[in-house]
Amino acid sequence: MRDYGLNFTRTPILVDNNSAISITNNPVNHSRTKHIDVRHHFIRDCAEKGLIEVVRVDTLDNLADLFTKTFDRARFENLVRMIGMINPE
């Protein structure tokens, strides 16, 4: 993409898990993170290079939950509105 003049640095990655944010932003290997496979350190490497920025999002505002969890009707309709999908009713 850079060949075409498009620069995608500091792309925000929205995360609702404080531990995941801490592990990403802290390059020190702790005893609790030693079980993480090497291939999962890709995100940490991208954050160190400045390609992405891990940003905290409140659990209630996490739009990805719409596709991964079940909700009551009110919560589901709220997430549908937040993501910009049209309600068929």
Side-chain angles (χ1 to χ4, degrees):
M1 298 299 275
R2 290 183 185 147
D3 292 341
Y4 296 105
L6 300 173
N7 190 6
F8 293 105
T9 57
R10 308 301 293 172
T11 302
I13 305 293
L14 305 177
V15 180
D16 66 347
N17 185 316
N18 286 332
S19 296
I21 294 170
S22 296
I23 289 170
T24 302
N25 293 332
N26 188 359
V28 177
N29 290 326
H30 295 285
S31 62
R32 293 183 183 195
T33 62
K34 67 181 180 181
H35 69 281
I36 298 174
D37 195 16
V38 174
R39 63 189 167 139
H40 298 294
H41 291 287
F42 174 76
I43 297 296
R44 182 187 292 177
D45 292 339
C46 289
E48 288 176 358
K49 292 175 185 174
L51 299 174
I52 64 168
E53 178 182 9
V54 180
V55 179
R56 172 83 167 102
V57 63
D58 189 56
T59 302
L60 296 177
D61 297 327
N62 191 351
L63 299 178
D65 286 349
L66 179 62
F67 304 107
T68 60
K69 298 178 182 173
T70 58
F71 299 102
D72 60 16
R73 184 176 182 99
R75 176 78 175 123
F76 176 78
E77 289 175 353
N78 183 39
L79 286 172
V80 167
R81 272 193 304 278
M82 288 174 64
I83 205 164
M85 294 173 61
I86 298 173
N87 192 349
E89 293 180 321

